[in-house]
Amino acid sequence: MAGGFIPFLVMVLVQVGFAGMNITSKLALQTGMNPIVLVAYRQLFAFLSIAPLACWMEWKTMPKMTWSIFFQIFLCSLTGHQNAGATGNQLFYFVGLKYSTPTIGCALTNTLPAFTFILAVFFRQESVRIKTRTGQAKVIGTIVGVGGAMLLSFYHGKTIGFGQSSIHWKYADKLEDSSSSTDDKANSILGPFFLIISSVSWATWLIIQAKVSKKFPAPYTSSAYLVLLGTIQCVVIALCFDHKPSAWSLSNPMRLTASIYSGVVCSGISFCIMSWTVQKRGPLYVSVFSPLLLVIVAFFSWALLREKLYIGTAIGSFLIVFGLYSVLWGKNNEMKLEDSVEETEDMKEINDEKKDVELQLPLPLPSNGNHHT
C-alpha cells in the first residue's frame, strides 16, 4: 500500500510545485520583468541543478556523444520541454503567461497530447486507425481538446461568482499597480495564442526526443546539454531585445524567487521525481495528473490574485481535460493491444523454434529384440 501511495503523493506535490511556478512567474512578470530574461535565468538555474545530478548518475554509463546526436539535442533545445526547459516552449509560454492568466496557461498546456498526436501522425510515428475504438478515441479527443482551446481563447462570457477570498495576497496588488497595463481585449487573444504555440513547440520536442532517446539513452545528461544550450540561446535573444543592466537585475525579491524556483524546483527536482515515477508506474500514470495542476492553479489564482473565472474558461478547460483523457485512454489501450500482440508473436516464435529443434533431433533406432554378443 505504501508503494502505491508514495508515487501518488509525489505526483501531487509536483503539481503543487508547478502551480507555485505559475503564480510566482506571473508576479515576476507583473514587476516588469522581461519574459525572455526570466526564461534565461530559469535555464541557468536548471542547468546548475541538473548538471551535478547527470555527472553523478550517468558519468560511467554515458554513451558516446556524436555530432549527429548533439545536433538533435540542439534542435530539442530550440523547441521545448516544460520540465527540463528549452527555448521555444519556455519563451512562448512565459510571453503568453504575461498577456494571460495562470489558469488559462495551465488549461492550454493540457492540449499537448492533441498536438503531439497530430504531429506524430504527420511524421508517421502514429497511425490513426479510425476504424478502431482506440483510434476513434484519439481523434475525438484531439478534436474536442483543440476545440476547447479555441473556445477558451476567444470566448469569455459571464464571470462565475465565488465571492471574495479571505486570504487575498495584498503584495500582488502592489505589483499589479506598478506594472504597465495593456489592452485587455488584445491580451485575451495574444496570450492564448502564444500559449498554444508553446504546446505545439513542446509537441515538436517530443517527436525529436523520441529519436534522441534511442541513440543517446542518458536522460539526465541530454537534459543538462539541453538547458545549457537553451541558456545560451535565451541570453543571446534577450540581449537583442533588451540589453540594459536593469532588465537583468534580480534585486527585486519576486524576480529572484521566480527565477530560482522555476529553475531548481520545476526543472531540476520535478524532472528527477517524474523520471522516478515513470520507472515505477509508467508514463501514463504521470500524464493523468496534469489536469490536477489546472485545479490547483485556478484555486490559488482566485484566492491569492483575485483572478476572475469566466464561463468560457470553465467550459473550455473542461473540454480540454476531456480531450486529454480521451487521447490518453486511446493511446493506453492501443499500447496494451500492441503488447499482447507482441507476446503472442513471441510465443509463436518460441513454439516454432521448439518444433524445428524436435525435427532436427535424430530419431531413436527401432528395437527388434535381437542382441548380439
Coordinates of all heavy atoms in Angstrom, one line a residue, residues 58-146:
E58 N 25.1 9.3 -14.4 CA 25.4 8.8 -15.8 C 26.8 9.0 -16.2 O 27.1 8.8 -17.4 CB 24.4 9.4 -16.8 CG 23.0 9.1 -16.5 CD 22.0 9.9 -17.4 OE1 22.4 10.9 -18.0 OE2 20.8 9.5 -17.4
W59 N 27.7 9.4 -15.3 CA 29.1 9.6 -15.8 C 29.8 8.4 -16.3 O 30.4 8.4 -17.4 CB 29.9 10.1 -14.6 CG 31.4 10.4 -14.9 CD1 32.4 9.7 -14.6 CD2 31.8 11.5 -15.7 NE1 33.6 10.2 -15.1 CE2 33.2 11.4 -15.8 CE3 31.2 12.7 -16.2 CZ2 34.1 12.3 -16.4 CZ3 32.0 13.6 -16.9 CH2 33.4 13.4 -17.0
K60 N 29.6 7.2 -15.7 CA 30.2 6.0 -16.1 C 29.5 5.3 -17.2 O 30.1 4.5 -18.0 CB 30.4 5.0 -14.9 CG 31.3 5.5 -13.8 CD 31.4 4.5 -12.7 CE 32.3 5.0 -11.6 NZ 32.4 4.1 -10.5
T61 N 28.2 5.5 -17.3 CA 27.4 4.8 -18.3 C 27.0 5.7 -19.5 O 26.2 5.2 -20.4 CB 26.1 4.3 -17.7 OG1 25.3 5.4 -17.1 CG2 26.4 3.3 -16.6
M62 N 27.4 6.9 -19.6 CA 27.0 7.8 -20.6 C 27.5 7.4 -22.0 O 28.7 7.1 -22.2 CB 27.6 9.2 -20.3 CG 27.1 10.3 -21.3 SD 27.7 11.9 -21.0 CE 29.4 11.7 -21.2
P63 N 26.6 7.3 -23.0 CA 27.0 6.9 -24.3 C 27.9 7.9 -25.0 O 28.0 9.0 -24.5 CB 25.7 6.7 -25.1 CG 24.6 6.7 -24.0 CD 25.2 7.5 -22.9
K64 N 28.6 7.5 -26.0 CA 29.5 8.4 -26.8 C 28.6 9.5 -27.5 O 27.7 9.2 -28.1 CB 30.3 7.7 -27.8 CG 31.3 8.5 -28.5 CD 32.1 7.7 -29.5 CE 33.0 8.6 -30.3 NZ 33.8 7.8 -31.3
M65 N 29.1 10.8 -27.3 CA 28.4 11.9 -27.9 C 29.0 12.1 -29.3 O 30.2 12.1 -29.5 CB 28.6 13.2 -27.1 CG 28.1 14.4 -27.8 SD 26.3 14.4 -28.0 CE 25.8 14.6 -26.3
T66 N 28.1 12.1 -30.3 CA 28.5 12.4 -31.7 C 27.9 13.7 -32.2 O 27.0 14.3 -31.5 CB 28.0 11.2 -32.6 OG1 26.5 11.2 -32.6 CG2 28.5 9.9 -32.1
W67 N 28.4 14.2 -33.3 CA 27.9 15.5 -33.8 C 26.4 15.3 -34.2 O 25.7 16.3 -34.1 CB 28.7 15.9 -35.0 CG 30.0 16.5 -34.6 CD1 31.3 16.0 -34.8 CD2 30.2 17.8 -34.0 NE1 32.2 16.8 -34.3 CE2 31.6 17.9 -33.8 CE3 29.4 18.8 -33.6 CZ2 32.2 19.1 -33.2 CZ3 29.9 19.9 -33.0 CH2 31.3 20.0 -32.8
S68 N 26.0 14.2 -34.7 CA 24.6 13.9 -35.1 C 23.7 14.0 -33.9 O 22.7 14.7 -33.9 CB 24.5 12.6 -35.8 OG 23.1 12.3 -36.0
I69 N 24.1 13.4 -32.8 CA 23.3 13.4 -31.6 C 23.3 14.8 -31.0 O 22.2 15.3 -30.5 CB 23.8 12.4 -30.5 CG1 23.7 11.0 -31.1 CG2 23.1 12.6 -29.2 CD1 24.3 10.0 -30.2
F70 N 24.4 15.5 -31.0 CA 24.5 16.9 -30.5 C 23.6 17.8 -31.3 O 22.9 18.7 -30.7 CB 25.9 17.4 -30.5 CG 26.1 18.7 -29.9 CD1 26.2 18.9 -28.6 CD2 26.2 19.9 -30.7 CE1 26.4 20.1 -28.0 CE2 26.3 21.1 -30.2 CZ 26.5 21.3 -28.8
F71 N 23.5 17.6 -32.6 CA 22.7 18.5 -33.4 C 21.2 18.2 -33.1 O 20.4 19.2 -33.0 CB 22.9 18.2 -34.9 CG 22.0 19.0 -35.8 CD1 22.2 20.3 -36.0 CD2 21.0 18.4 -36.5 CE1 21.4 21.1 -36.8 CE2 20.2 19.1 -37.4 CZ 20.4 20.5 -37.5
Q72 N 20.8 17.0 -32.8 CA 19.4 16.7 -32.5 C 19.1 17.2 -31.1 O 18.0 17.7 -30.9 CB 19.2 15.1 -32.5 CG 19.3 14.5 -33.9 CD 19.0 13.0 -33.9 OE1 18.8 12.4 -32.8 NE2 19.1 12.4 -35.0
I73 N 20.0 17.2 -30.1 CA 19.8 17.8 -28.8 C 19.7 19.4 -29.0 O 18.9 20.0 -28.3 CB 21.0 17.5 -27.9 CG1 20.9 16.0 -27.5 CG2 20.8 18.3 -26.6 CD1 22.1 15.6 -26.6
F74 N 20.5 19.9 -29.9 CA 20.3 21.3 -30.2 C 19.0 21.7 -30.8 O 18.4 22.7 -30.4 CB 21.4 21.7 -31.3 CG 21.3 23.2 -31.7 CD1 21.7 24.2 -30.9 CD2 20.8 23.4 -33.0 CE1 21.6 25.5 -31.4 CE2 20.7 24.8 -33.4 CZ 21.1 25.8 -32.6
L75 N 18.4 20.8 -31.6 CA 17.1 21.0 -32.1 C 16.0 20.9 -31.0 O 15.1 21.7 -31.0 CB 16.7 20.0 -33.2 CG 17.5 20.1 -34.5 CD1 17.1 19.0 -35.5 CD2 17.3 21.5 -35.2
C76 N 16.3 20.0 -30.1 CA 15.4 19.9 -28.9 C 15.4 21.1 -28.1 O 14.4 21.6 -27.5 CB 15.8 18.7 -28.1 SG 15.4 17.1 -28.8
S77 N 16.6 21.7 -27.9 CA 16.7 23.0 -27.1 C 16.0 24.1 -27.8 O 15.6 25.1 -27.1 CB 18.2 23.3 -26.9 OG 18.8 23.7 -28.1
L78 N 15.8 24.1 -29.1 CA 15.1 25.1 -29.8 C 13.6 25.0 -29.7 O 12.9 26.0 -29.8 CB 15.5 25.2 -31.3 CG 16.9 25.6 -31.6 CD1 17.2 25.5 -33.1 CD2 17.1 27.1 -31.3
T79 N 13.1 23.8 -29.5 CA 11.7 23.5 -29.4 C 11.2 23.6 -28.0 O 10.6 24.6 -27.6 CB 11.4 22.2 -30.1 OG1 12.2 21.2 -29.5 CG2 11.6 22.2 -31.6
G80 N 11.3 22.6 -27.2 CA 10.9 22.8 -25.9 C 10.6 21.5 -25.1 O 10.3 20.5 -25.6
H81 N 10.7 21.7 -23.7 CA 10.4 20.7 -22.7 C 10.0 21.5 -21.5 O 10.8 22.1 -20.9 CB 11.6 19.8 -22.5 CG 11.3 18.7 -21.5 ND1 10.3 18.7 -20.6 CD2 12.0 17.5 -21.3 CE1 10.3 17.6 -19.9 NE2 11.4 16.9 -20.3
Q82 N 8.7 21.4 -21.1 CA 8.2 22.2 -20.0 C 9.0 21.9 -18.7 O 9.1 22.8 -17.8 CB 6.7 21.9 -19.8 CG 6.1 22.8 -18.8 CD 5.8 24.2 -19.3 OE1 6.0 24.5 -20.4 NE2 5.4 25.1 -18.4
N83 N 9.5 20.7 -18.5 CA 10.1 20.3 -17.2 C 11.6 20.7 -17.2 O 12.1 21.3 -16.3 CB 9.9 18.9 -16.9 CG 8.4 18.5 -16.8 OD1 7.6 19.3 -16.4 ND2 8.1 17.3 -17.2
A84 N 12.3 20.2 -18.2 CA 13.7 20.5 -18.3 C 14.0 21.9 -18.8 O 15.0 22.5 -18.5 CB 14.4 19.5 -19.2
G85 N 13.1 22.4 -19.5 CA 13.2 23.8 -20.0 C 13.9 23.8 -21.4 O 14.8 23.1 -21.7
A86 N 13.4 24.7 -22.3 CA 14.0 24.9 -23.6 C 13.5 26.2 -24.2 O 12.5 26.8 -23.7 CB 13.7 23.7 -24.5
T87 N 14.2 26.6 -25.2 CA 13.9 28.0 -25.7 C 12.5 28.2 -26.2 O 11.8 29.1 -25.7 CB 15.0 28.3 -26.8 OG1 16.3 28.1 -26.3 CG2 14.8 29.8 -27.2
G88 N 12.1 27.5 -27.2 CA 10.8 27.7 -27.9 C 9.7 27.6 -27.0 O 8.9 28.5 -26.8
N89 N 9.6 26.5 -26.3 CA 8.4 26.2 -25.4 C 8.4 27.3 -24.3 O 7.3 27.8 -24.0 CB 8.5 24.8 -24.8 CG 7.5 24.6 -23.7 OD1 7.9 24.7 -22.5 ND2 6.3 24.3 -24.0
Q90 N 9.5 27.5 -23.6 CA 9.5 28.4 -22.5 C 9.3 29.9 -22.9 O 8.5 30.6 -22.2 CB 10.8 28.3 -21.8 CG 11.1 27.0 -21.1 CD 10.0 26.7 -20.0 OE1 9.9 27.5 -19.1 NE2 9.3 25.6 -20.1
L91 N 9.9 30.3 -24.0 CA 9.7 31.7 -24.4 C 8.2 32.0 -24.7 O 7.6 32.9 -24.3 CB 10.5 32.0 -25.7 CG 12.0 32.2 -25.4 CD1 12.7 32.5 -26.7 CD2 12.3 33.3 -24.4
F92 N 7.6 31.1 -25.5 CA 6.2 31.3 -25.9 C 5.3 31.2 -24.7 O 4.3 31.9 -24.5 CB 5.8 30.3 -27.0 CG 6.3 30.6 -28.3 CD1 7.1 29.6 -29.0 CD2 6.1 31.8 -28.9 CE1 7.6 29.9 -30.2 CE2 6.6 32.0 -30.2 CZ 7.4 31.1 -30.8
Y93 N 5.6 30.3 -23.7 CA 4.8 30.1 -22.6 C 4.8 31.3 -21.7 O 3.7 31.8 -21.2 CB 5.2 28.8 -21.8 CG 4.3 28.6 -20.6 CD1 3.1 27.9 -20.8 CD2 4.6 29.0 -19.3 CE1 2.3 27.6 -19.7 CE2 3.8 28.8 -18.2 CZ 2.6 28.1 -18.4 OH 1.7 27.9 -17.4
F94 N 6.0 31.8 -21.4 CA 6.1 33.0 -20.4 C 5.6 34.3 -21.1 O 5.0 35.1 -20.4 CB 7.5 33.1 -19.9 CG 7.8 32.2 -18.8 CD1 8.7 31.1 -19.1 CD2 7.3 32.3 -17.6 CE1 9.0 30.2 -18.1 CE2 7.6 31.4 -16.6 CZ 8.5 30.3 -16.8
V95 N 5.8 34.4 -22.4 CA 5.2 35.6 -23.1 C 3.6 35.5 -23.0 O 2.9 36.4 -22.8 CB 5.7 35.7 -24.5 CG1 4.9 36.8 -25.3 CG2 7.2 36.0 -24.5
G96 N 3.1 34.2 -23.3 CA 1.7 34.0 -23.2 C 1.2 34.2 -21.8 O 0.1 34.8 -21.6
L97 N 1.9 33.8 -20.8 CA 1.5 34.0 -19.4 C 1.5 35.5 -19.0 O 0.6 35.9 -18.3 CB 2.5 33.3 -18.5 CG 2.2 33.3 -17.0 CD1 0.8 32.6 -16.7 CD2 3.3 32.6 -16.2
K98 N 2.4 36.3 -19.6 CA 2.4 37.7 -19.3 C 1.1 38.4 -19.8 O 0.6 39.3 -19.2 CB 3.6 38.4 -20.0 CG 3.7 39.9 -19.8 CD 4.9 40.5 -20.4 CE 5.0 42.0 -20.2 NZ 6.2 42.6 -20.8
Y99 N 0.6 37.9 -21.0 CA -0.6 38.5 -21.5 C -1.9 37.7 -21.2 O -2.9 37.8 -21.9 CB -0.4 38.7 -23.0 CG 0.6 39.7 -23.4 CD1 1.8 39.2 -24.0 CD2 0.5 41.0 -23.1 CE1 2.8 40.1 -24.4 CE2 1.5 41.9 -23.5 CZ 2.6 41.5 -24.1 OH 3.6 42.3 -24.4
S100 N -1.8 36.8 -20.3 CA -2.9 35.9 -19.9 C -3.0 35.7 -18.4 O -2.5 36.6 -17.7 CB -2.8 34.6 -20.7 OG -3.9 33.8 -20.5
T101 N -3.5 34.6 -18.0 CA -3.6 34.3 -16.6 C -3.0 32.9 -16.3 O -2.9 32.1 -17.2 CB -5.1 34.3 -16.1 OG1 -5.8 33.3 -16.7 CG2 -5.7 35.6 -16.4
P102 N -2.6 32.6 -15.1 CA -2.1 31.3 -14.8 C -3.0 30.2 -15.1 O -2.6 29.1 -15.5 CB -1.7 31.4 -13.3 CG -1.5 32.8 -13.0 CD -2.4 33.6 -13.9
T103 N -4.3 30.4 -14.8 CA -5.3 29.4 -15.1 C -5.4 29.0 -16.6 O -5.4 27.9 -17.0 CB -6.7 29.8 -14.6 OG1 -6.6 30.1 -13.2 CG2 -7.8 28.7 -14.8
I104 N -5.5 30.0 -17.4 CA -5.5 29.8 -18.9 C -4.2 29.1 -19.3 O -4.3 28.3 -20.2 CB -5.8 31.1 -19.6 CG1 -7.2 31.7 -19.3 CG2 -5.6 31.0 -21.1 CD1 -7.5 33.0 -19.9
G105 N -3.1 29.6 -18.8 CA -1.8 28.9 -19.2 C -1.8 27.4 -18.9 O -1.4 26.6 -19.7
C106 N -2.3 27.1 -17.7 CA -2.3 25.6 -17.3 C -3.3 24.9 -18.2 O -3.1 23.7 -18.6 CB -2.7 25.5 -15.9 SG -1.4 26.1 -14.8
A107 N -4.5 25.5 -18.5 CA -5.5 24.8 -19.3 C -5.0 24.5 -20.7 O -5.2 23.4 -21.2 CB -6.8 25.7 -19.3
L108 N -4.3 25.5 -21.3 CA -3.9 25.3 -22.7 C -2.7 24.4 -22.7 O -2.4 23.8 -23.8 CB -3.5 26.7 -23.3 CG -4.7 27.6 -23.6 CD1 -4.3 28.9 -24.1 CD2 -5.7 26.9 -24.5
T109 N -1.9 24.2 -21.6 CA -0.9 23.2 -21.6 C -1.4 21.8 -21.8 O -0.7 20.9 -22.3 CB -0.1 23.3 -20.3 OG1 0.5 24.6 -20.1 CG2 1.1 22.3 -20.2
N110 N -2.6 21.6 -21.3 CA -3.2 20.2 -21.5 C -3.6 19.9 -22.9 O -4.1 18.7 -23.1 CB -4.5 20.1 -20.6 CG -4.1 20.0 -19.1 OD1 -3.2 19.2 -18.7 ND2 -4.8 20.8 -18.3
T111 N -3.4 20.8 -23.9 CA -3.6 20.5 -25.3 C -2.4 19.7 -25.9 O -2.4 19.3 -27.0 CB -3.9 21.7 -26.1 OG1 -2.7 22.6 -26.0 CG2 -5.1 22.5 -25.6
L112 N -1.4 19.5 -25.1 CA -0.1 18.9 -25.6 C -0.4 17.5 -26.2 O 0.1 17.3 -27.3 CB 0.9 18.7 -24.4 CG 2.1 17.9 -24.7 CD1 3.0 18.6 -25.8 CD2 2.9 17.7 -23.5
P113 N -1.2 16.6 -25.6 CA -1.4 15.3 -26.2 C -2.1 15.4 -27.6 O -1.7 14.6 -28.5 CB -2.3 14.5 -25.2 CG -2.0 15.2 -23.9 CD -1.8 16.6 -24.2
A114 N -3.0 16.3 -27.7 CA -3.7 16.5 -29.0 C -2.7 17.0 -30.1 O -2.7 16.4 -31.2 CB -4.8 17.5 -28.8
F115 N -1.9 18.0 -29.8 CA -1.0 18.5 -30.8 C 0.1 17.4 -31.1 O 0.6 17.3 -32.2 CB -0.3 19.8 -30.4 CG -1.3 20.9 -30.4 CD1 -1.6 21.7 -29.2 CD2 -2.0 21.3 -31.6 CE1 -2.5 22.7 -29.3 CE2 -2.9 22.3 -31.6 CZ -3.1 23.1 -30.4
T116 N 0.5 16.7 -30.1 CA 1.5 15.6 -30.3 C 1.0 14.5 -31.2 O 1.7 14.0 -32.1 CB 1.9 15.0 -28.9 OG1 2.4 16.0 -28.0 CG2 3.0 14.0 -29.1
F117 N -0.3 14.2 -31.0 CA -0.9 13.2 -31.8 C -0.9 13.6 -33.3 O -0.6 12.9 -34.2 CB -2.3 12.8 -31.3 CG -3.1 11.9 -32.2 CD1 -2.7 10.6 -32.4 CD2 -4.2 12.3 -32.9 CE1 -3.4 9.7 -33.2 CE2 -4.9 11.5 -33.7 CZ -4.5 10.2 -33.9
I118 N -1.3 14.9 -33.5 CA -1.4 15.4 -34.9 C 0.0 15.4 -35.5 O 0.1 14.9 -36.7 CB -1.9 16.9 -34.9 CG1 -3.4 16.9 -34.4 CG2 -1.8 17.5 -36.2 CD1 -3.9 18.3 -34.2
L119 N 1.0 15.9 -34.8 CA 2.4 15.9 -35.4 C 2.9 14.4 -35.6 O 3.6 14.2 -36.6 CB 3.3 16.7 -34.5 CG 3.1 18.2 -34.5 CD1 4.1 18.8 -33.5 CD2 3.3 18.8 -35.8
A120 N 2.6 13.5 -34.7 CA 3.1 12.2 -34.8 C 2.5 11.5 -36.0 O 3.1 10.7 -36.7 CB 2.7 11.4 -33.5
V121 N 1.2 11.8 -36.3 CA 0.6 11.2 -37.5 C 1.2 11.8 -38.7 O 1.5 11.1 -39.7 CB -1.0 11.5 -37.5 CG1 -1.6 11.2 -38.8 CG2 -1.7 10.7 -36.3
F122 N 1.5 13.1 -38.7 CA 2.1 13.8 -39.8 C 3.5 13.2 -40.1 O 3.9 13.0 -41.3 CB 2.2 15.3 -39.6 CG 2.8 16.0 -40.7 CD1 2.1 16.4 -41.8 CD2 4.1 16.5 -40.7 CE1 2.6 17.1 -42.9 CE2 4.7 17.2 -41.7 CZ 3.9 17.5 -42.8
F123 N 4.3 12.9 -39.1 CA 5.6 12.3 -39.3 C 5.6 10.8 -39.2 O 6.7 10.2 -39.1 CB 6.6 12.9 -38.2 CG 6.9 14.3 -38.4 CD1 6.3 15.3 -37.6 CD2 7.9 14.7 -39.3 CE1 6.6 16.7 -37.8 CE2 8.2 16.0 -39.5 CZ 7.6 17.0 -38.7
R124 N 4.5 10.2 -39.3 CA 4.3 8.7 -39.4 C 4.9 8.0 -38.2 O 5.4 6.9 -38.3 CB 4.9 8.2 -40.7 CG 4.2 8.8 -41.9 CD 4.9 8.2 -43.2 NE 4.2 8.7 -44.4 CZ 4.5 8.4 -45.6 NH1 5.5 7.5 -45.8 NH2 3.8 8.9 -46.6
Q125 N 4.8 8.6 -37.0 CA 5.2 7.9 -35.8 C 3.9 7.4 -35.1 O 4.0 6.6 -34.1 CB 5.9 8.9 -34.8 CG 7.3 9.3 -35.3 CD 8.0 10.1 -34.3 OE1 7.5 10.4 -33.2 NE2 9.2 10.6 -34.7
E126 N 2.7 7.8 -35.5 CA 1.5 7.3 -35.0 C 0.6 6.9 -36.2 O 0.7 7.5 -37.3 CB 0.8 8.3 -34.1 CG 1.4 8.5 -32.8 CD 0.8 7.4 -31.8 OE1 -0.1 6.7 -32.2 OE2 1.3 7.4 -30.7
S127 N -0.3 6.0 -36.0 CA -1.3 5.6 -37.0 C -2.7 6.0 -36.5 O -3.0 5.8 -35.3 CB -1.3 4.2 -37.4 OG -1.4 3.4 -36.2
V128 N -3.6 6.5 -37.3 CA -4.9 6.9 -36.9 C -5.8 5.8 -36.5 O -6.4 5.8 -35.4 CB -5.6 7.8 -38.0 CG1 -7.0 8.2 -37.5 CG2 -4.7 9.0 -38.3
R129 N -5.9 4.8 -37.3 CA -6.7 3.6 -37.1 C -8.1 4.0 -36.7 O -8.7 3.7 -35.7 CB -6.1 2.7 -35.9 CG -4.7 2.2 -36.3 CD -4.1 1.4 -35.1 NE -2.8 0.9 -35.4 CZ -2.0 0.3 -34.5 NH1 -2.4 0.2 -33.3 NH2 -0.8 -0.1 -34.8
I130 N -8.7 4.8 -37.6 CA -10.0 5.4 -37.3 C -11.1 4.3 -37.2 O -12.2 4.6 -36.6 CB -10.4 6.3 -38.5 CG1 -11.6 7.2 -38.1 CG2 -10.7 5.6 -39.8 CD1 -11.3 8.1 -36.9
K131 N -10.9 3.1 -37.7 CA -12.0 2.1 -37.6 C -12.0 1.4 -36.2 O -12.9 0.6 -35.9 CB -11.8 1.0 -38.7 CG -12.0 1.6 -40.1 CD -11.9 0.5 -41.1 CE -12.2 1.1 -42.5 NZ -12.1 0.0 -43.6
T132 N -11.0 1.6 -35.4 CA -10.9 1.0 -34.1 C -11.4 2.0 -33.0 O -11.4 3.2 -33.2 CB -9.4 0.6 -33.8 OG1 -8.6 1.7 -33.7 CG2 -8.9 -0.4 -34.8
R133 N -11.7 1.4 -31.8 CA -12.2 2.3 -30.7 C -11.0 3.2 -30.2 O -11.3 4.3 -29.9 CB -12.7 1.4 -29.6 CG -14.0 0.7 -29.9 CD -14.4 -0.1 -28.7 NE -14.7 0.7 -27.5 CZ -14.9 0.2 -26.3 NH1 -14.9 -1.2 -26.1 NH2 -15.1 1.0 -25.3
T134 N -9.8 2.6 -30.2 CA -8.7 3.4 -29.7 C -8.4 4.6 -30.7 O -8.1 5.7 -30.2 CB -7.5 2.6 -29.6 OG1 -7.2 1.9 -30.8 CG2 -7.7 1.5 -28.5
G135 N -8.5 4.3 -32.0 CA -8.2 5.4 -32.9 C -9.3 6.4 -32.9 O -9.0 7.6 -33.0
Q136 N -10.6 6.0 -32.7 CA -11.7 7.0 -32.6 C -11.5 7.8 -31.3 O -11.8 9.0 -31.4 CB -13.0 6.2 -32.6 CG -13.3 5.5 -33.9 CD -14.5 4.6 -33.8 OE1 -15.1 4.4 -32.7 NE2 -14.8 3.9 -34.9
A137 N -11.1 7.2 -30.2 CA -10.9 8.0 -29.0 C -9.8 9.0 -29.2 O -10.0 10.2 -28.7 CB -10.5 7.0 -27.9
K138 N -8.7 8.7 -29.8 CA -7.6 9.7 -30.1 C -8.1 10.8 -31.0 O -7.8 12.0 -30.7 CB -6.4 9.0 -30.6 CG -5.7 8.0 -29.6 CD -4.4 7.6 -30.1 CE -4.5 6.7 -31.4 NZ -3.2 6.1 -31.8
V139 N -8.8 10.5 -32.0 CA -9.3 11.5 -32.9 C -10.3 12.4 -32.3 O -10.2 13.7 -32.4 CB -9.9 10.9 -34.2 CG1 -10.5 11.9 -35.1 CG2 -8.8 10.2 -35.0
I140 N -11.3 11.8 -31.6 CA -12.3 12.6 -30.9 C -11.7 13.5 -29.8 O -12.0 14.7 -29.7 CB -13.4 11.7 -30.3 CG1 -14.2 11.0 -31.4 CG2 -14.3 12.5 -29.4 CD1 -15.2 10.0 -30.9
G141 N -10.7 12.9 -29.1 CA -10.1 13.7 -28.0 C -9.3 14.8 -28.6 O -9.3 15.9 -28.0
T142 N -8.6 14.6 -29.7 CA -7.9 15.7 -30.3 C -8.8 16.8 -30.8 O -8.5 18.0 -30.5 CB -7.1 15.2 -31.6 OG1 -6.2 14.2 -31.1 CG2 -6.3 16.3 -32.2
I143 N -9.9 16.5 -31.4 CA -10.9 17.5 -31.9 C -11.5 18.3 -30.7 O -11.6 19.5 -30.8 CB -12.0 16.8 -32.8 CG1 -11.3 16.2 -34.0 CG2 -13.0 17.8 -33.1 CD1 -12.3 15.4 -34.9
V144 N -11.9 17.5 -29.7 CA -12.5 18.2 -28.5 C -11.5 19.1 -27.8 O -11.8 20.2 -27.4 CB -13.1 17.1 -27.6 CG1 -13.6 17.8 -26.3 CG2 -14.3 16.4 -28.3
G145 N -10.3 18.6 -27.6 CA -9.2 19.3 -27.0 C -8.9 20.6 -27.7 O -8.8 21.7 -27.1
V146 N -8.7 20.5 -29.0 CA -8.4 21.7 -29.8 C -9.6 22.7 -29.8 O -9.4 23.9 -29.7 CB -7.9 21.4 -31.2 CG1 -7.8 22.6 -32.1 CG2 -6.6 20.5 -31.2

